[in-house]
Amino acid sequence: MNVSVVLFTADLRLHDHPPLRAALDGARQVVPLFVRDRAVDDAGFAAPNRLAFLADCLRDLDAGLRERGGRLVMRSGDLVEQVCRVAAEADADEVHLAADGSAHARRREERLRRALESEGVRLHVHDAVTTAVGPGAVTPASSDHFAVFTPYFRHWSQWRLREPLGAPRTVRVPDGVGSQELPSRKGLAGLSPGLTPGGEKEGRERVTAWLRSGIGAYEDGHDDLAGDATSRLSPHLHFGTLSPVELVHRARRVGGPGAEAFVRQLAWRDFHRQVLAARPAAASVDYRTKHDRWRSERTAGEDVEAWRAGRTGYPVVDAAMRQLSHEGWMHNRGRLLTASFLTKTLYVDWRVGARHFLDLLVDGDVANNQLNWQWMAGTGTDSRPNRVLNPVTQAKRYDPDGTYVRRWLPELEGVAAPAVHEPWKLPGPDRAALDYPDPIVELSEGLARFRRARERS
């Protein structure tokens, strides 16, 4: 009896899952396997919010498999060692998994291939599972990747996507393959109080509601901080409970400016992956250095702590940072504003901010997180590396009524717009009544420092 192992990684779903479909087509029995990779934990990516969301995803995946007669096998440790062990226990002759362009994943895949081949087991790697278009699928004539988004998007848009696959009706798992107990978010310390639940069921319900009643307003409303008109699907894309291929197809069927703008964001996700696949060092090194002499966490400790705590004195920055702390998620416009403030106004190393985001974001993703931080720091793919977002101007534009600020800063609840965005300008008694700090830096002072630094570089 043929047996295949399907190794789930960042693709924790049953719908539109090419590795699972291929395994079921080629074998009568399948072992759905997830390995809690020790190397991933050792690298610092086992943040509480993501562990909780992961636990939800694994339990939901197991429930879906059980509805089809199967179950999820859970192991932990060295991934290569555990996959080989499960393949031997099940007497499997092949292993299927999704392609991943990160440097760590590619090294792991090569180790796994060698180890399996030594045991006579074939490894099948499937593209377009965690991305709509694979990292190396579209390239310019003169390089191994696109360094600018617009030409990349033009080629990406012309790429013919595969058709989405349905979820299997039946999954038969061989007897005798043991599993560890699935993790639970219960007992996890350090979770954001407003952390959203994970799992494919939750993700599919969310995307159906979004496509029905949210996507139409996306183009006009995606920067509205108080309106919260974004899809909030990024955690599900990060863990693969939703398929980016299926999302593109479904959005295009809806059509209209909102759908086009949403698909463009999915292309940005693929763009960052092809940059990082070609330049793995960009996870920690400037993609395009400006020879900055950044302030470090040690030299700018008080400013960094105020930024993390949402006590910079700039309400829109502080509101966004408190949303991050409470939800493990932040509105995209808030991500841009807080990153600009840390790197351009405070002139603090972008890696300090990127690390804090990875500590909290449930959608914390190396490609998107690190390259978006570099984009705002002016060391990445941005064609305007010296742009600085003024938090007051941005707040008045994207939170004109102050609703977003008051939602996250209860100490400013009684302050009306536009004064809520500049509380330091309130009359003396009104200002003294607020338990809210003065700005930790004058915007003009921060801008002058940044310009001097860039001129020296």
mmCIF file with all atom_site columns, all heavy atoms in Angstrom, residues 22 42 50 55 58 83 89 96 105 149 204 224 245 356 373 396 415:
data_model
loop_
_atom_site.group_PDB
_atom_site.id
_atom_site.type_symbol
_atom_site.label_atom_id
_atom_site.label_alt_id
_atom_site.label_comp_id
_atom_site.label_asym_id
_atom_site.label_entity_id
_atom_site.label_seq_id
_atom_site.pdbx_PDB_ins_code
_atom_site.Cartn_x
_atom_site.Cartn_y
_atom_site.Cartn_z
_atom_site.occupancy
_atom_site.B_iso_or_equiv
_atom_site.pdbx_formal_charge
_atom_site.auth_seq_id
_atom_site.auth_comp_id
_atom_site.auth_asym_id
_atom_site.auth_atom_id
_atom_site.pdbx_PDB_model_num
ATOM 1   N N   . ALA A 1 22  ? -1.599  16.272 -4.453 1.00 0.00 ? 22  ALA A N   1
ATOM 2   C CA  . ALA A 1 22  ? -0.666  15.386 -5.155 1.00 0.00 ? 22  ALA A CA  1
ATOM 3   C C   . ALA A 1 22  ? -0.428  14.108 -4.369 1.00 0.00 ? 22  ALA A C   1
ATOM 4   O O   . ALA A 1 22  ? -0.348  13.011 -4.940 1.00 0.00 ? 22  ALA A O   1
ATOM 5   C CB  . ALA A 1 22  ? 0.656   16.113 -5.401 1.00 0.00 ? 22  ALA A CB  1
ATOM 6   N N   . ASP A 1 42  ? 14.664  28.520 17.902 1.00 0.00 ? 42  ASP A N   1
ATOM 7   C CA  . ASP A 1 42  ? 15.983  29.025 18.291 1.00 0.00 ? 42  ASP A CA  1
ATOM 8   C C   . ASP A 1 42  ? 16.304  30.367 17.626 1.00 0.00 ? 42  ASP A C   1
ATOM 9   O O   . ASP A 1 42  ? 17.084  31.157 18.152 1.00 0.00 ? 42  ASP A O   1
ATOM 10  C CB  . ASP A 1 42  ? 17.073  28.008 17.932 1.00 0.00 ? 42  ASP A CB  1
ATOM 11  C CG  . ASP A 1 42  ? 16.999  26.749 18.786 1.00 0.00 ? 42  ASP A CG  1
ATOM 12  O OD1 . ASP A 1 42  ? 16.309  26.776 19.824 1.00 0.00 ? 42  ASP A OD1 1
ATOM 13  O OD2 . ASP A 1 42  ? 17.617  25.735 18.406 1.00 0.00 ? 42  ASP A OD2 1
ATOM 14  N N   . ARG A 1 50  ? 2.179   34.549 18.019 1.00 0.00 ? 50  ARG A N   1
ATOM 15  C CA  . ARG A 1 50  ? 2.190   33.623 16.891 1.00 0.00 ? 50  ARG A CA  1
ATOM 16  C C   . ARG A 1 50  ? 2.020   32.179 17.367 1.00 0.00 ? 50  ARG A C   1
ATOM 17  O O   . ARG A 1 50  ? 1.415   31.358 16.667 1.00 0.00 ? 50  ARG A O   1
ATOM 18  C CB  . ARG A 1 50  ? 3.469   33.802 16.073 1.00 0.00 ? 50  ARG A CB  1
ATOM 19  C CG  . ARG A 1 50  ? 3.485   35.118 15.285 1.00 0.00 ? 50  ARG A CG  1
ATOM 20  C CD  . ARG A 1 50  ? 4.578   35.148 14.227 1.00 0.00 ? 50  ARG A CD  1
ATOM 21  N NE  . ARG A 1 50  ? 5.902   35.134 14.786 1.00 0.00 ? 50  ARG A NE  1
ATOM 22  C CZ  . ARG A 1 50  ? 6.519   36.199 15.304 1.00 0.00 ? 50  ARG A CZ  1
ATOM 23  N NH1 . ARG A 1 50  ? 5.898   37.362 15.356 1.00 0.00 ? 50  ARG A NH1 1
ATOM 24  N NH2 . ARG A 1 50  ? 7.746   36.117 15.781 1.00 0.00 ? 50  ARG A NH2 1
ATOM 25  N N   . ALA A 1 55  ? -1.358  27.498 17.401 1.00 0.00 ? 55  ALA A N   1
ATOM 26  C CA  . ALA A 1 55  ? -2.099  26.450 18.103 1.00 0.00 ? 55  ALA A CA  1
ATOM 27  C C   . ALA A 1 55  ? -3.530  26.367 17.589 1.00 0.00 ? 55  ALA A C   1
ATOM 28  O O   . ALA A 1 55  ? -4.061  25.266 17.347 1.00 0.00 ? 55  ALA A O   1
ATOM 29  C CB  . ALA A 1 55  ? -2.086  26.718 19.606 1.00 0.00 ? 55  ALA A CB  1
ATOM 30  N N   . LEU A 1 58  ? -3.437  24.699 14.095 1.00 0.00 ? 58  LEU A N   1
ATOM 31  C CA  . LEU A 1 58  ? -3.184  23.258 14.108 1.00 0.00 ? 58  LEU A CA  1
ATOM 32  C C   . LEU A 1 58  ? -4.407  22.494 14.589 1.00 0.00 ? 58  LEU A C   1
ATOM 33  O O   . LEU A 1 58  ? -4.746  21.431 14.044 1.00 0.00 ? 58  LEU A O   1
ATOM 34  C CB  . LEU A 1 58  ? -1.973  22.951 14.989 1.00 0.00 ? 58  LEU A CB  1
ATOM 35  C CG  . LEU A 1 58  ? -0.626  23.489 14.477 1.00 0.00 ? 58  LEU A CG  1
ATOM 36  C CD1 . LEU A 1 58  ? 0.470   23.199 15.495 1.00 0.00 ? 58  LEU A CD1 1
ATOM 37  C CD2 . LEU A 1 58  ? -0.267  22.891 13.120 1.00 0.00 ? 58  LEU A CD2 1
ATOM 38  N N   . VAL A 1 83  ? 10.902  14.275 10.090 1.00 0.00 ? 83  VAL A N   1
ATOM 39  C CA  . VAL A 1 83  ? 10.254  13.842 8.853  1.00 0.00 ? 83  VAL A CA  1
ATOM 40  C C   . VAL A 1 83  ? 10.759  12.462 8.448  1.00 0.00 ? 83  VAL A C   1
ATOM 41  O O   . VAL A 1 83  ? 9.976   11.578 8.068  1.00 0.00 ? 83  VAL A O   1
ATOM 42  C CB  . VAL A 1 83  ? 10.495  14.863 7.721  1.00 0.00 ? 83  VAL A CB  1
ATOM 43  C CG1 . VAL A 1 83  ? 9.974   14.322 6.385  1.00 0.00 ? 83  VAL A CG1 1
ATOM 44  C CG2 . VAL A 1 83  ? 9.809   16.190 8.039  1.00 0.00 ? 83  VAL A CG2 1
ATOM 45  N N   . GLU A 1 89  ? 8.373   5.235  9.950  1.00 0.00 ? 89  GLU A N   1
ATOM 46  C CA  . GLU A 1 89  ? 7.290   4.614  10.720 1.00 0.00 ? 89  GLU A CA  1
ATOM 47  C C   . GLU A 1 89  ? 6.112   4.251  9.821  1.00 0.00 ? 89  GLU A C   1
ATOM 48  O O   . GLU A 1 89  ? 5.445   3.222  10.035 1.00 0.00 ? 89  GLU A O   1
ATOM 49  C CB  . GLU A 1 89  ? 6.828   5.552  11.825 1.00 0.00 ? 89  GLU A CB  1
ATOM 50  C CG  . GLU A 1 89  ? 7.840   5.765  12.941 1.00 0.00 ? 89  GLU A CG  1
ATOM 51  C CD  . GLU A 1 89  ? 7.382   6.804  13.949 1.00 0.00 ? 89  GLU A CD  1
ATOM 52  O OE1 . GLU A 1 89  ? 6.181   7.163  13.921 1.00 0.00 ? 89  GLU A OE1 1
ATOM 53  O OE2 . GLU A 1 89  ? 8.209   7.251  14.765 1.00 0.00 ? 89  GLU A OE2 1
ATOM 54  N N   . HIS A 1 96  ? 5.758   15.235 0.417  1.00 0.00 ? 96  HIS A N   1
ATOM 55  C CA  . HIS A 1 96  ? 5.337   16.428 -0.327 1.00 0.00 ? 96  HIS A CA  1
ATOM 56  C C   . HIS A 1 96  ? 5.351   17.634 0.610  1.00 0.00 ? 96  HIS A C   1
ATOM 57  O O   . HIS A 1 96  ? 4.923   17.530 1.766  1.00 0.00 ? 96  HIS A O   1
ATOM 58  C CB  . HIS A 1 96  ? 3.926   16.249 -0.881 1.00 0.00 ? 96  HIS A CB  1
ATOM 59  C CG  . HIS A 1 96  ? 3.797   15.179 -1.911 1.00 0.00 ? 96  HIS A CG  1
ATOM 60  N ND1 . HIS A 1 96  ? 3.775   15.440 -3.260 1.00 0.00 ? 96  HIS A ND1 1
ATOM 61  C CD2 . HIS A 1 96  ? 3.687   13.824 -1.780 1.00 0.00 ? 96  HIS A CD2 1
ATOM 62  C CE1 . HIS A 1 96  ? 3.643   14.294 -3.934 1.00 0.00 ? 96  HIS A CE1 1
ATOM 63  N NE2 . HIS A 1 96  ? 3.588   13.302 -3.059 1.00 0.00 ? 96  HIS A NE2 1
ATOM 64  N N   . ALA A 1 105 ? 14.687  28.045 4.757  1.00 0.00 ? 105 ALA A N   1
ATOM 65  C CA  . ALA A 1 105 ? 13.857  26.983 4.196  1.00 0.00 ? 105 ALA A CA  1
ATOM 66  C C   . ALA A 1 105 ? 14.576  26.253 3.074  1.00 0.00 ? 105 ALA A C   1
ATOM 67  O O   . ALA A 1 105 ? 14.451  25.028 2.942  1.00 0.00 ? 105 ALA A O   1
ATOM 68  C CB  . ALA A 1 105 ? 12.539  27.568 3.689  1.00 0.00 ? 105 ALA A CB  1
ATOM 69  N N   . PHE A 1 149 ? 8.945   47.752 -7.495 1.00 0.00 ? 149 PHE A N   1
ATOM 70  C CA  . PHE A 1 149 ? 7.663   47.061 -7.497 1.00 0.00 ? 149 PHE A CA  1
ATOM 71  C C   . PHE A 1 149 ? 6.888   47.227 -8.795 1.00 0.00 ? 149 PHE A C   1
ATOM 72  O O   . PHE A 1 149 ? 6.293   46.265 -9.284 1.00 0.00 ? 149 PHE A O   1
ATOM 73  C CB  . PHE A 1 149 ? 6.800   47.545 -6.322 1.00 0.00 ? 149 PHE A CB  1
ATOM 74  C CG  . PHE A 1 149 ? 5.422   46.949 -6.335 1.00 0.00 ? 149 PHE A CG  1
ATOM 75  C CD1 . PHE A 1 149 ? 5.221   45.611 -5.991 1.00 0.00 ? 149 PHE A CD1 1
ATOM 76  C CD2 . PHE A 1 149 ? 4.311   47.704 -6.705 1.00 0.00 ? 149 PHE A CD2 1
ATOM 77  C CE1 . PHE A 1 149 ? 3.956   45.040 -6.020 1.00 0.00 ? 149 PHE A CE1 1
ATOM 78  C CE2 . PHE A 1 149 ? 3.049   47.152 -6.734 1.00 0.00 ? 149 PHE A CE2 1
ATOM 79  C CZ  . PHE A 1 149 ? 2.868   45.822 -6.382 1.00 0.00 ? 149 PHE A CZ  1
ATOM 80  N N   . ARG A 1 204 ? -11.591 31.482 6.367  1.00 0.00 ? 204 ARG A N   1
ATOM 81  C CA  . ARG A 1 204 ? -12.519 31.421 5.238  1.00 0.00 ? 204 ARG A CA  1
ATOM 82  C C   . ARG A 1 204 ? -13.797 32.209 5.531  1.00 0.00 ? 204 ARG A C   1
ATOM 83  O O   . ARG A 1 204 ? -14.370 32.833 4.628  1.00 0.00 ? 204 ARG A O   1
ATOM 84  C CB  . ARG A 1 204 ? -12.822 29.971 4.894  1.00 0.00 ? 204 ARG A CB  1
ATOM 85  C CG  . ARG A 1 204 ? -11.601 29.229 4.353  1.00 0.00 ? 204 ARG A CG  1
ATOM 86  C CD  . ARG A 1 204 ? -11.937 27.873 3.778  1.00 0.00 ? 204 ARG A CD  1
ATOM 87  N NE  . ARG A 1 204 ? -12.618 27.996 2.503  1.00 0.00 ? 204 ARG A NE  1
ATOM 88  C CZ  . ARG A 1 204 ? -12.028 28.227 1.336  1.00 0.00 ? 204 ARG A CZ  1
ATOM 89  N NH1 . ARG A 1 204 ? -10.704 28.395 1.282  1.00 0.00 ? 204 ARG A NH1 1
ATOM 90  N NH2 . ARG A 1 204 ? -12.724 28.308 0.232  1.00 0.00 ? 204 ARG A NH2 1
ATOM 91  N N   . ASP A 1 224 ? -7.864  54.769 5.976  1.00 0.00 ? 224 ASP A N   1
ATOM 92  C CA  . ASP A 1 224 ? -8.679  55.373 7.029  1.00 0.00 ? 224 ASP A CA  1
ATOM 93  C C   . ASP A 1 224 ? -8.416  54.627 8.331  1.00 0.00 ? 224 ASP A C   1
ATOM 94  O O   . ASP A 1 224 ? -8.861  53.497 8.528  1.00 0.00 ? 224 ASP A O   1
ATOM 95  C CB  . ASP A 1 224 ? -10.158 55.277 6.634  1.00 0.00 ? 224 ASP A CB  1
ATOM 96  C CG  . ASP A 1 224 ? -11.084 55.871 7.691  1.00 0.00 ? 224 ASP A CG  1
ATOM 97  O OD1 . ASP A 1 224 ? -10.593 56.325 8.748  1.00 0.00 ? 224 ASP A OD1 1
ATOM 98  O OD2 . ASP A 1 224 ? -12.301 55.863 7.457  1.00 0.00 ? 224 ASP A OD2 1
ATOM 99  N N   . VAL A 1 245 ? -3.310  32.230 -3.998 1.00 0.00 ? 245 VAL A N   1
ATOM 100 C CA  . VAL A 1 245 ? -3.818  31.969 -5.353 1.00 0.00 ? 245 VAL A CA  1
ATOM 101 C C   . VAL A 1 245 ? -5.340  32.074 -5.363 1.00 0.00 ? 245 VAL A C   1
ATOM 102 O O   . VAL A 1 245 ? -5.936  32.736 -6.226 1.00 0.00 ? 245 VAL A O   1
ATOM 103 C CB  . VAL A 1 245 ? -3.365  30.579 -5.837 1.00 0.00 ? 245 VAL A CB  1
ATOM 104 C CG1 . VAL A 1 245 ? -4.098  30.186 -7.120 1.00 0.00 ? 245 VAL A CG1 1
ATOM 105 C CG2 . VAL A 1 245 ? -1.863  30.552 -6.071 1.00 0.00 ? 245 VAL A CG2 1
ATOM 106 N N   . HIS A 1 356 ? 11.008  44.557 17.416 1.00 0.00 ? 356 HIS A N   1
ATOM 107 C CA  . HIS A 1 356 ? 9.846   44.758 18.287 1.00 0.00 ? 356 HIS A CA  1
ATOM 108 C C   . HIS A 1 356 ? 8.571   44.315 17.582 1.00 0.00 ? 356 HIS A C   1
ATOM 109 O O   . HIS A 1 356 ? 7.700   43.673 18.193 1.00 0.00 ? 356 HIS A O   1
ATOM 110 C CB  . HIS A 1 356 ? 9.742   46.221 18.694 1.00 0.00 ? 356 HIS A CB  1
ATOM 111 C CG  . HIS A 1 356 ? 8.598   46.504 19.617 1.00 0.00 ? 356 HIS A CG  1
ATOM 112 N ND1 . HIS A 1 356 ? 8.543   46.027 20.912 1.00 0.00 ? 356 HIS A ND1 1
ATOM 113 C CD2 . HIS A 1 356 ? 7.435   47.180 19.416 1.00 0.00 ? 356 HIS A CD2 1
ATOM 114 C CE1 . HIS A 1 356 ? 7.416   46.419 21.480 1.00 0.00 ? 356 HIS A CE1 1
ATOM 115 N NE2 . HIS A 1 356 ? 6.729   47.116 20.595 1.00 0.00 ? 356 HIS A NE2 1
ATOM 116 N N   . TRP A 1 373 ? 10.136  47.578 6.781  1.00 0.00 ? 373 TRP A N   1
ATOM 117 C CA  . TRP A 1 373 ? 10.928  48.452 7.644  1.00 0.00 ? 373 TRP A CA  1
ATOM 118 C C   . TRP A 1 373 ? 12.052  49.118 6.849  1.00 0.00 ? 373 TRP A C   1
ATOM 119 O O   . TRP A 1 373 ? 12.309  50.321 6.996  1.00 0.00 ? 373 TRP A O   1
ATOM 120 C CB  . TRP A 1 373 ? 11.489  47.672 8.835  1.00 0.00 ? 373 TRP A CB  1
ATOM 121 C CG  . TRP A 1 373 ? 10.580  47.744 10.016 1.00 0.00 ? 373 TRP A CG  1
ATOM 122 C CD1 . TRP A 1 373 ? 9.622   46.844 10.377 1.00 0.00 ? 373 TRP A CD1 1
ATOM 123 C CD2 . TRP A 1 373 ? 10.505  48.812 10.960 1.00 0.00 ? 373 TRP A CD2 1
ATOM 124 N NE1 . TRP A 1 373 ? 8.960   47.288 11.497 1.00 0.00 ? 373 TRP A NE1 1
ATOM 125 C CE2 . TRP A 1 373 ? 9.485   48.476 11.890 1.00 0.00 ? 373 TRP A CE2 1
ATOM 126 C CE3 . TRP A 1 373 ? 11.210  49.997 11.135 1.00 0.00 ? 373 TRP A CE3 1
ATOM 127 C CZ2 . TRP A 1 373 ? 9.149   49.314 12.963 1.00 0.00 ? 373 TRP A CZ2 1
ATOM 128 C CZ3 . TRP A 1 373 ? 10.885  50.823 12.201 1.00 0.00 ? 373 TRP A CZ3 1
ATOM 129 C CH2 . TRP A 1 373 ? 9.865   50.482 13.100 1.00 0.00 ? 373 TRP A CH2 1
ATOM 130 N N   . LYS A 1 396 ? -4.083  64.163 10.801 1.00 0.00 ? 396 LYS A N   1
ATOM 131 C CA  . LYS A 1 396 ? -5.201  65.012 10.373 1.00 0.00 ? 396 LYS A CA  1
ATOM 132 C C   . LYS A 1 396 ? -5.789  64.527 9.046  1.00 0.00 ? 396 LYS A C   1
ATOM 133 O O   . LYS A 1 396 ? -6.980  64.713 8.790  1.00 0.00 ? 396 LYS A O   1
ATOM 134 C CB  . LYS A 1 396 ? -4.733  66.459 10.258 1.00 0.00 ? 396 LYS A CB  1
ATOM 135 C CG  . LYS A 1 396 ? -4.406  67.097 11.609 1.00 0.00 ? 396 LYS A CG  1
ATOM 136 C CD  . LYS A 1 396 ? -3.882  68.517 11.455 1.00 0.00 ? 396 LYS A CD  1
ATOM 137 C CE  . LYS A 1 396 ? -3.592  69.141 12.818 1.00 0.00 ? 396 LYS A CE  1
ATOM 138 N NZ  . LYS A 1 396 ? -3.053  70.524 12.715 1.00 0.00 ? 396 LYS A NZ  1
ATOM 139 N N   . VAL A 1 415 ? -10.681 65.133 24.400 1.00 0.00 ? 415 VAL A N   1
ATOM 140 C CA  . VAL A 1 415 ? -10.108 66.165 23.532 1.00 0.00 ? 415 VAL A CA  1
ATOM 141 C C   . VAL A 1 415 ? -10.657 65.997 22.120 1.00 0.00 ? 415 VAL A C   1
ATOM 142 O O   . VAL A 1 415 ? -10.545 64.926 21.525 1.00 0.00 ? 415 VAL A O   1
ATOM 143 C CB  . VAL A 1 415 ? -8.565  66.081 23.516 1.00 0.00 ? 415 VAL A CB  1
ATOM 144 C CG1 . VAL A 1 415 ? -7.989  67.205 22.658 1.00 0.00 ? 415 VAL A CG1 1
ATOM 145 C CG2 . VAL A 1 415 ? -8.014  66.136 24.931 1.00 0.00 ? 415 VAL A CG2 1
#
